[in-house]
Amino acid sequence: MLEEYDKRNLDNIEFNIDIIPYASEPPNPNLIGQTPNSNTETQPNTTQSSGVVLVDSDIEPDFEYIPDSESNDDSDVSLFDSIVEAEDSVDVDMDGNGSLHCDPNEMGGHHSSDEENGVTRMMVKDVVKGYAIQEGFELNRLKNDQCRYTAKCFNDTCDWRIHVSSLPDGRSFIIRSICGRHIQCRRGKKNKEAISPWIAVVAGKSINSNPTISAKSLKNELHDNFRVECSSQSVYRAKKKVLKTLRADHENSYAEIRKYGNILIKMNPGSMDKVHVNTDVKDSPKFERFFVSFRAMQTGFVKGCRPLIGLDGCHLSSAYGGVLLSACAMDADNGIFPLAYCVVESENTDSWSFFLQFLHEILQWNTQKAICFMTDHQKGVLTAIKNEWPTAGNRYCFRHISANFNAKKEFSSLDINGLLWQAAKEGSEAGFKQVMEKIKVISVGAYNWLMSIPINSWARHCFDDRIKSDHITNNMSEFFNSWIKDDRDKPILTLMECLRRKVMVRFSEKWDEGEKMNDTISPYARRRLNEAVDDGRKLIVYHGRGVS
């Protein structure tokens, strides 16, 4: 619908709704699943129909059918969770086999096109097929044309049978009769109804969230959910269909990225988005990078955050991969404050330079003011910071330093991880030297390795006091990556929209919290101050005069 809206450049979307009258009395649940007597089956009076389903062919059907739980009771009721009774004014004849028969040429009312009827028939068939797989039996289709669908259990000893026919409007179908129970037939593990189209529908979410999922895992999932064993070839074909659709969704998203960026600028004045493409490709430009930062992010950082920015990148698990770079700060309440994000082809010096260049542009930061970046000590981001922010300070996340230390073979047997963190957290130079001497006594190599890293980038006592922050880890960026974890596999437009909504909701919640504040400082600062006051009561004061 939205594609048609875009193609025709419409200002408004109009809907036509057809109202179908329903009967005032609901169906009798006691009649569903019971075998009718001979008198009932030969009567054309459809007011005694055991159940009715109305389907509008103008609406794209959702063929997914997943039961809440697997039941051992072979009941036919679960097929009609949303059955409603409808008025029936169709004259129905009986064919030679005792089945209900309708002639589309003799039916009054509106007739839909063959394509519309095809969609409706497909929905009816898929619902019945889903029920057959759920209950563990195969179908024997007796009639299957434009106005009739009759099927029975493939086991000749079973009396289960269903008949569906179209209504006069040519757009809706009604269940004329359903009878029998699967008492005489056993539930089978293998079901010929469970073919690749059905698998693609019920396992589509699992494949979309994990495109690399193995066929064995999908077969186990289908067995656990539906108690059916599917062939490896059917699972492979289903996965191929889903991935083909997924790839098409991603390709369409990249094609619309410029339009999305223009909408962001129009609806959020003062914001910035930048699209970078590779023009070396002959056929068409190739997407490489997309930078986004909203006006609220820029204003909030300049007016209410400390000048410490965490930089990090996380890999996207979509069909085309890529990396999401992010810049996060800490607000006055010591909470995460997203500042900008950017989708790039990979994490390297060029992509980081692209990101930091526009970050510098949106902040319009005075080179005389102090600012510091927290990174994971990778060469690409350090080089980009040096080029784009030459006066900025650097801090290295000590969690990464500790991980790199423990990963070295010569230090793997040393149990000094606690001393490493103690040295990084020390607030005085004297305390830092004492801890480092302990490390030196245990291992001179460990001491030299740690001291080879610039001390002012990881030791708290050497931090620039103008930054007003003693953070030694990049937890703000790690939290951001965890915050968007469930959205990394989505197409780029969906990903960008999810990020925009998350940021919008978070800023709105923080605004509401600020409106309710009755203090001059943030709740986090008040808690820290109260803790310091409580600790101060334990101190002993010694009075003296002059210089001692």
Side-chain angles (χ1 to χ4, degrees):
M1 180 183 66
L2 294 178
E3 290 179 0
E4 291 297 324
Y5 168 79
D6 186 50
K7 290 179 182 178
R8 302 179 185 180
N9 295 323
L10 299 177
D11 295 329
N12 299 310
I13 302 178
E14 298 182 359
F15 297 92
N16 293 326
I17 301 176
D18 293 334
I19 301 177
I20 300 176
Y22 289 177
S24 59
E25 297 181 0
N28 187 352
N30 296 325
L31 298 178
I32 300 178
Q34 295 183 3
T35 305
N37 53 35
S38 58
N39 295 331
T40 303
E41 187 162 330
T42 57
Q43 293 294 331
N45 185 4
T46 56
T47 58
Q48 299 179 2
S49 174
S50 60
V52 178
V53 173
L54 292 179
V55 180
D56 191 347
S57 63
D58 290 337
I59 302 176
E60 184 68 17
D62 183 2
F63 295 176
E64 183 171 1
Y65 179 72
I66 302 177
D68 293 337
S69 61
E70 194 70 31
S71 174
N72 294 327
D73 181 15
D74 292 332
S75 173
D76 296 320
V77 179
S78 60
L79 177 60
F80 310 106
D81 291 334
S82 59
I83 288 179
V84 292
E85 186 82 29
E87 293 183 358
D88 188 3
S89 59
V90 184
D91 293 332
V92 182
D93 298 328
M94 306 297 294
D95 60 15
N97 298 326
S99 302
L100 294 169
H101 175 72
C102 62
D103 186 355
N105 297 323
E106 298 177 357
M107 293 171 62
H110 170 72
H111 291 273
S112 61
S113 64
D114 292 341
E115 182 180 356
E116 289 176 334
N117 276 333
V119 172
T120 308
R121 292 199 312 276
M122 284 298 298
M123 183 173 183
V124 171
K125 292 191 294 184
D126 284 342
V127 171
V128 177
K129 178 189 292 187
Y131 172 71
I133 297 174
Q134 170 193 332
E135 299 300 322
F137 68 94
E138 297 179 10
L139 293 171
N140 181 13
R141 295 167 179 82
L142 304 178
K143 296 198 179 290
N144 185 11
D145 54 33
Q146 291 187 0
C147 61
R148 294 176 300 181
Y149 182 79
T150 306
K152 63 184 293 291
C153 182
F154 195 80
N155 189 345
D156 294 335
T157 61
C158 181
D159 60 351
W160 185 89
R161 183 179 179 277
I162 186 172
H163 178 74
V164 183
S165 63
S166 60
L167 288 173
D169 59 7
R171 300 161 51 193
S172 307
F173 273 66
I174 183 173
I175 296 179
R176 300 293 185 180
S177 65
I178 178 171
C179 59
R181 295 172 63 87
H182 301 284
I183 300 176
Q184 302 296 329
C185 57
R186 297 176 56 187
R187 182 185 186 91
K189 293 184 178 180
K190 295 184 178 181
N191 196 319
K192 293 182 180 180
E193 306 296 334
I195 55 179
S196 58
W198 176 82
I199 298 174
V201 172
V202 298
K205 291 183 178 179
S206 299
I207 299 174
N208 286 332
S209 60
N210 183 15
T212 60
I213 188 172
S214 64
K216 183 178 180 181
S217 299
L218 284 175
K219 291 173 66 176
N220 292 336
E221 180 178 331
L222 293 171
H223 183 269
D224 293 340
N225 294 336
F226 301 97
R227 296 295 186 269
V228 62
E229 292 184 359
C230 302
S231 65
S232 299
Q233 191 68 16
S234 297
V235 173
Y236 172 78
R237 290 174 180 171
K239 182 179 177 181
K240 188 176 180 180
K241 292 179 181 179
V242 175
L243 292 180
K244 184 178 180 180
T245 304
L246 180 63
R247 187 173 295 273
D249 293 340
H250 283 273
E251 292 175 356
N252 295 334
S253 293
Y254 285 110
E256 300 291 333
I257 197 68
R258 289 187 182 275
K259 292 182 180 179
Y260 180 77
N262 293 335
I263 293 175
L264 291 184
I265 298 301
K266 182 177 180 180
M267 304 304 296
N268 296 272
S271 303
M272 175 184 284
D273 75 87
K274 295 292 180 180
V275 180
H276 181 268
V277 296
N278 184 359
T279 57
D280 295 336
V281 182
K282 296 182 180 180
D283 297 336
S284 61
K286 178 182 177 183
F287 171 86
E288 285 193 347
R289 299 162 190 160
F290 183 52
F291 174 91
V292 176
S293 180
F294 297 106
R295 180 64 176 174
M297 297 176 171
Q298 307 156 22
T299 306
F301 175 78
V302 173
K303 294 186 176 181
C305 295
R306 284 161 286 183
L308 177 65
I309 300 176
L311 301 177
D312 198 12
C314 63
H315 290 276
L316 302 177
S317 55
S318 63
Y320 289 94
V323 176
L324 180 71
L325 307 182
S326 62
C328 298
M330 305 293 289
D331 60 23
D333 200 36
N334 220 44
I336 181 178
F337 189 91
L339 184 54
Y341 47 85
C342 180
V343 175
V344 297
E345 72 283 7
S346 61
E347 194 172 358
N348 52 48
T349 303
D350 290 339
S351 59
W352 274 116
S353 297
F354 175 85
F355 181 65
L356 293 175
Q357 173 189 351
F358 293 113
L359 184 64
H360 192 283
E361 183 177 338
I362 61 173
L363 295 180
Q364 299 180 354
W365 198 257
N366 187 348
T367 56
Q368 303 299 323
K369 295 175 61 177
I371 192 169
C372 184
F373 291 98
M374 176 77 76
T375 67
D376 55 2
H377 198 197
Q378 289 188 359
K379 293 182 179 180
V381 64
L382 295 180
T383 304
I385 293 175
K386 185 178 180 180
N387 295 336
E388 304 298 334
W389 294 75
T391 61
N394 283 302
R395 292 187 192 178
Y396 306 149
C397 178
F398 197 75
R399 179 173 286 106
H400 287 83
I401 294 177
S402 176
N404 293 336
F405 178 86
N406 295 324
K408 292 186 173 295
K409 294 181 180 180
E410 59 268 31
F411 305 143
S412 59
S413 60
L414 300 178
D415 188 16
I416 60 173
N417 196 56
L419 290 175
L420 297 180
W421 282 91
Q422 185 179 349
K425 293 179 180 179
E426 276 294 338
S428 65
E429 183 178 2
F432 173 78
K433 289 181 177 180
Q434 289 179 1
V435 178
M436 291 303 297
E437 286 298 324
K438 294 179 181 179
I439 296 176
K440 188 175 183 180
V441 171
I442 298 175
S443 173
V444 177
Y447 173 87
N448 294 333
W449 183 88
L450 200 57
M451 293 298 291
S452 65
I453 306 173
I455 300 177
N456 60 355
S457 64
W458 61 272
R460 177 188 167 196
H461 76 282
C462 289
F463 289 165
D464 187 348
D465 56 6
R466 296 177 298 172
I467 304 301
K468 308 299 182 183
S469 175
D470 56 2
H471 281 275
I472 62 173
T473 61
N474 197 8
N475 284 344
M476 50 191 135
S477 296
E478 297 296 338
F479 177 82
F480 180 84
N481 294 338
S482 176
W483 192 38
I484 65 171
K485 177 179 61 177
D486 296 335
D487 302 319
R488 295 184 191 179
D489 61 329
K490 293 180 172 59
I492 185 170
L493 281 187
T494 307
L495 171 63
M496 292 293 103
E497 186 62 11
C498 288
L499 292 178
R500 185 191 67 82
R501 293 180 181 181
K502 284 180 178 289
V503 172
M504 178 182 67
V505 172
R506 180 169 180 82
F507 283 8
S508 177
E509 292 174 350
K510 288 296 182 180
W511 180 280
D512 293 339
E513 292 178 7
E515 291 290 319
K516 298 177 183 178
M517 282 181 55
N518 296 320
D519 203 344
T520 56
I521 59 177
S522 67
Y524 174 79
R526 176 59 64 186
R527 289 195 302 269
R528 291 293 300 273
L529 184 60
N530 291 338
E531 291 173 0
V533 171
D534 293 338
D535 293 340
R537 298 184 68 245
K538 302 175 184 178
L539 301 177
I540 300 176
V541 179
Y542 294 93
H543 295 278
R545 288 181 178 274
V547 179
S548 57

PDB file of all heavy atoms in Angstrom, residues 268-272 293-301 337 362 364 507:
ATOM      1  N   ASN A 268      13.189  17.202  11.655  1.00  0.00           N
ATOM      2  CA  ASN A 268      14.034  17.531  12.816  1.00  0.00           C
ATOM      3  C   ASN A 268      15.022  18.626  12.403  1.00  0.00           C
ATOM      4  O   ASN A 268      16.203  18.352  12.155  1.00  0.00           O
ATOM      5  CB  ASN A 268      14.800  16.302  13.305  1.00  0.00           C
ATOM      6  CG  ASN A 268      13.889  15.215  13.818  1.00  0.00           C
ATOM      7  OD1 ASN A 268      13.524  15.187  14.980  1.00  0.00           O
ATOM      8  ND2 ASN A 268      13.507  14.313  12.927  1.00  0.00           N
ATOM      9  N   PRO A 269      14.558  19.876  12.304  1.00  0.00           N
ATOM     10  CA  PRO A 269      15.455  20.966  11.879  1.00  0.00           C
ATOM     11  C   PRO A 269      16.682  21.062  12.794  1.00  0.00           C
ATOM     12  O   PRO A 269      16.571  20.953  14.014  1.00  0.00           O
ATOM     13  CB  PRO A 269      14.572  22.212  12.004  1.00  0.00           C
ATOM     14  CG  PRO A 269      13.170  21.701  11.916  1.00  0.00           C
ATOM     15  CD  PRO A 269      13.194  20.348  12.552  1.00  0.00           C
ATOM     16  N   GLY A 270      17.830  21.283  12.183  1.00  0.00           N
ATOM     17  CA  GLY A 270      19.070  21.370  12.939  1.00  0.00           C
ATOM     18  C   GLY A 270      19.802  20.061  13.062  1.00  0.00           C
ATOM     19  O   GLY A 270      20.946  20.037  13.516  1.00  0.00           O
ATOM     20  N   SER A 271      19.160  18.956  12.683  1.00  0.00           N
ATOM     21  CA  SER A 271      19.813  17.646  12.719  1.00  0.00           C
ATOM     22  C   SER A 271      20.722  17.487  11.504  1.00  0.00           C
ATOM     23  O   SER A 271      20.708  18.306  10.581  1.00  0.00           O
ATOM     24  CB  SER A 271      18.771  16.528  12.753  1.00  0.00           C
ATOM     25  OG  SER A 271      17.906  16.674  13.864  1.00  0.00           O
ATOM     26  N   MET A 272      21.514  16.420  11.505  1.00  0.00           N
ATOM     27  CA  MET A 272      22.426  16.171  10.393  1.00  0.00           C
ATOM     28  C   MET A 272      22.394  14.707  10.015  1.00  0.00           C
ATOM     29  O   MET A 272      22.399  13.817  10.884  1.00  0.00           O
ATOM     30  CB  MET A 272      23.863  16.562  10.752  1.00  0.00           C
ATOM     31  CG  MET A 272      24.882  16.203   9.665  1.00  0.00           C
ATOM     32  SD  MET A 272      26.599  16.540  10.111  1.00  0.00           S
ATOM     33  CE  MET A 272      26.631  18.320   9.919  1.00  0.00           C
ATOM     34  N   SER A 293      22.781  12.348  13.388  1.00  0.00           N
ATOM     35  CA  SER A 293      22.821  12.980  14.710  1.00  0.00           C
ATOM     36  C   SER A 293      21.691  13.996  14.772  1.00  0.00           C
ATOM     37  O   SER A 293      21.552  14.842  13.873  1.00  0.00           O
ATOM     38  CB  SER A 293      24.164  13.678  14.958  1.00  0.00           C
ATOM     39  OG  SER A 293      24.172  14.287  16.236  1.00  0.00           O
ATOM     40  N   PHE A 294      20.872  13.922  15.806  1.00  0.00           N
ATOM     41  CA  PHE A 294      19.720  14.806  15.938  1.00  0.00           C
ATOM     42  C   PHE A 294      20.076  16.059  16.736  1.00  0.00           C
ATOM     43  O   PHE A 294      21.014  16.069  17.535  1.00  0.00           O
ATOM     44  CB  PHE A 294      18.561  14.067  16.612  1.00  0.00           C
ATOM     45  CG  PHE A 294      18.049  12.908  15.815  1.00  0.00           C
ATOM     46  CD1 PHE A 294      18.334  11.606  16.194  1.00  0.00           C
ATOM     47  CD2 PHE A 294      17.304  13.116  14.676  1.00  0.00           C
ATOM     48  CE1 PHE A 294      17.875  10.539  15.460  1.00  0.00           C
ATOM     49  CE2 PHE A 294      16.832  12.050  13.930  1.00  0.00           C
ATOM     50  CZ  PHE A 294      17.121  10.768  14.325  1.00  0.00           C
ATOM     51  N   ARG A 295      19.304  17.078  16.501  1.00  0.00           N
ATOM     52  CA  ARG A 295      19.550  18.362  17.161  1.00  0.00           C
ATOM     53  C   ARG A 295      19.500  18.231  18.684  1.00  0.00           C
ATOM     54  O   ARG A 295      20.289  18.854  19.400  1.00  0.00           O
ATOM     55  CB  ARG A 295      18.505  19.387  16.681  1.00  0.00           C
ATOM     56  CG  ARG A 295      18.647  20.774  17.294  1.00  0.00           C
ATOM     57  CD  ARG A 295      19.943  21.421  16.893  1.00  0.00           C
ATOM     58  NE  ARG A 295      20.050  22.784  17.398  1.00  0.00           N
ATOM     59  CZ  ARG A 295      21.146  23.523  17.275  1.00  0.00           C
ATOM     60  NH1 ARG A 295      22.223  23.025  16.673  1.00  0.00           N
ATOM     61  NH2 ARG A 295      21.175  24.748  17.746  1.00  0.00           N
ATOM     62  N   ALA A 296      18.573  17.436  19.185  1.00  0.00           N
ATOM     63  CA  ALA A 296      18.455  17.256  20.635  1.00  0.00           C
ATOM     64  C   ALA A 296      19.721  16.629  21.215  1.00  0.00           C
ATOM     65  O   ALA A 296      20.118  16.941  22.348  1.00  0.00           O
ATOM     66  CB  ALA A 296      17.244  16.387  20.949  1.00  0.00           C
ATOM     67  N   MET A 297      20.365  15.724  20.464  1.00  0.00           N
ATOM     68  CA  MET A 297      21.617  15.129  20.922  1.00  0.00           C
ATOM     69  C   MET A 297      22.704  16.192  21.064  1.00  0.00           C
ATOM     70  O   MET A 297      23.427  16.249  22.069  1.00  0.00           O
ATOM     71  CB  MET A 297      22.073  14.056  19.940  1.00  0.00           C
ATOM     72  CG  MET A 297      21.159  12.860  19.791  1.00  0.00           C
ATOM     73  SD  MET A 297      21.781  11.755  18.505  1.00  0.00           S
ATOM     74  CE  MET A 297      20.715  10.335  18.723  1.00  0.00           C
ATOM     75  N   GLN A 298      22.838  17.027  20.044  1.00  0.00           N
ATOM     76  CA  GLN A 298      23.894  18.035  20.035  1.00  0.00           C
ATOM     77  C   GLN A 298      23.693  19.050  21.164  1.00  0.00           C
ATOM     78  O   GLN A 298      24.624  19.356  21.914  1.00  0.00           O
ATOM     79  CB  GLN A 298      23.900  18.731  18.678  1.00  0.00           C
ATOM     80  CG  GLN A 298      23.990  17.776  17.501  1.00  0.00           C
ATOM     81  CD  GLN A 298      23.441  18.372  16.227  1.00  0.00           C
ATOM     82  OE1 GLN A 298      23.358  19.590  16.085  1.00  0.00           O
ATOM     83  NE2 GLN A 298      23.052  17.525  15.276  1.00  0.00           N
ATOM     84  N   THR A 299      22.472  19.565  21.290  1.00  0.00           N
ATOM     85  CA  THR A 299      22.183  20.567  22.318  1.00  0.00           C
ATOM     86  C   THR A 299      22.345  19.990  23.717  1.00  0.00           C
ATOM     87  O   THR A 299      22.907  20.628  24.612  1.00  0.00           O
ATOM     88  CB  THR A 299      20.753  21.115  22.139  1.00  0.00           C
ATOM     89  OG1 THR A 299      20.598  21.599  20.810  1.00  0.00           O
ATOM     90  CG2 THR A 299      20.475  22.218  23.127  1.00  0.00           C
ATOM     91  N   GLY A 300      21.855  18.771  23.919  1.00  0.00           N
ATOM     92  CA  GLY A 300      21.955  18.151  25.231  1.00  0.00           C
ATOM     93  C   GLY A 300      23.389  17.915  25.665  1.00  0.00           C
ATOM     94  O   GLY A 300      23.731  18.095  26.839  1.00  0.00           O
ATOM     95  N   PHE A 301      24.243  17.505  24.727  1.00  0.00           N
ATOM     96  CA  PHE A 301      25.644  17.258  25.084  1.00  0.00           C
ATOM     97  C   PHE A 301      26.366  18.551  25.458  1.00  0.00           C
ATOM     98  O   PHE A 301      27.076  18.623  26.468  1.00  0.00           O
ATOM     99  CB  PHE A 301      26.368  16.582  23.934  1.00  0.00           C
ATOM    100  CG  PHE A 301      27.841  16.406  24.170  1.00  0.00           C
ATOM    101  CD1 PHE A 301      28.307  15.386  24.983  1.00  0.00           C
ATOM    102  CD2 PHE A 301      28.758  17.264  23.590  1.00  0.00           C
ATOM    103  CE1 PHE A 301      29.668  15.234  25.219  1.00  0.00           C
ATOM    104  CE2 PHE A 301      30.115  17.113  23.811  1.00  0.00           C
ATOM    105  CZ  PHE A 301      30.570  16.091  24.629  1.00  0.00           C
ATOM    106  N   PHE A 337      23.972   8.835  27.218  1.00  0.00           N
ATOM    107  CA  PHE A 337      23.444   9.914  26.392  1.00  0.00           C
ATOM    108  C   PHE A 337      23.949   9.723  24.972  1.00  0.00           C
ATOM    109  O   PHE A 337      25.087  10.086  24.649  1.00  0.00           O
ATOM    110  CB  PHE A 337      23.887  11.280  26.932  1.00  0.00           C
ATOM    111  CG  PHE A 337      23.202  12.447  26.262  1.00  0.00           C
ATOM    112  CD1 PHE A 337      22.030  12.962  26.777  1.00  0.00           C
ATOM    113  CD2 PHE A 337      23.720  13.012  25.109  1.00  0.00           C
ATOM    114  CE1 PHE A 337      21.394  14.028  26.164  1.00  0.00           C
ATOM    115  CE2 PHE A 337      23.094  14.075  24.482  1.00  0.00           C
ATOM    116  CZ  PHE A 337      21.919  14.591  25.011  1.00  0.00           C
ATOM    117  N   ILE A 362      29.084  18.986  13.876  1.00  0.00           N
ATOM    118  CA  ILE A 362      27.802  19.242  14.542  1.00  0.00           C
ATOM    119  C   ILE A 362      27.999  19.870  15.924  1.00  0.00           C
ATOM    120  O   ILE A 362      27.182  20.676  16.372  1.00  0.00           O
ATOM    121  CB  ILE A 362      26.976  17.951  14.668  1.00  0.00           C
ATOM    122  CG1 ILE A 362      27.709  16.920  15.507  1.00  0.00           C
ATOM    123  CG2 ILE A 362      26.611  17.407  13.306  1.00  0.00           C
ATOM    124  CD1 ILE A 362      26.890  15.693  15.813  1.00  0.00           C
ATOM    125  N   GLN A 364      30.636  21.795  16.822  1.00  0.00           N
ATOM    126  CA  GLN A 364      31.319  23.084  16.708  1.00  0.00           C
ATOM    127  C   GLN A 364      32.123  23.374  17.975  1.00  0.00           C
ATOM    128  O   GLN A 364      32.018  24.432  18.594  1.00  0.00           O
ATOM    129  CB  GLN A 364      30.303  24.198  16.433  1.00  0.00           C
ATOM    130  CG  GLN A 364      29.528  24.017  15.138  1.00  0.00           C
ATOM    131  CD  GLN A 364      28.527  25.126  14.883  1.00  0.00           C
ATOM    132  OE1 GLN A 364      28.313  25.992  15.735  1.00  0.00           O
ATOM    133  NE2 GLN A 364      27.896  25.112  13.728  1.00  0.00           N
ATOM    134  N   PHE A 507      14.909  10.218  25.605  1.00  0.00           N
ATOM    135  CA  PHE A 507      14.973  11.648  25.897  1.00  0.00           C
ATOM    136  C   PHE A 507      13.672  12.138  26.519  1.00  0.00           C
ATOM    137  O   PHE A 507      13.687  12.990  27.404  1.00  0.00           O
ATOM    138  CB  PHE A 507      15.269  12.427  24.615  1.00  0.00           C
ATOM    139  CG  PHE A 507      16.718  12.369  24.190  1.00  0.00           C
ATOM    140  CD1 PHE A 507      17.613  11.535  24.835  1.00  0.00           C
ATOM    141  CD2 PHE A 507      17.182  13.141  23.143  1.00  0.00           C
ATOM    142  CE1 PHE A 507      18.940  11.462  24.448  1.00  0.00           C
ATOM    143  CE2 PHE A 507      18.508  13.092  22.746  1.00  0.00           C
ATOM    144  CZ  PHE A 507      19.388  12.248  23.410  1.00  0.00           C
TER     145      PHE A 507
END
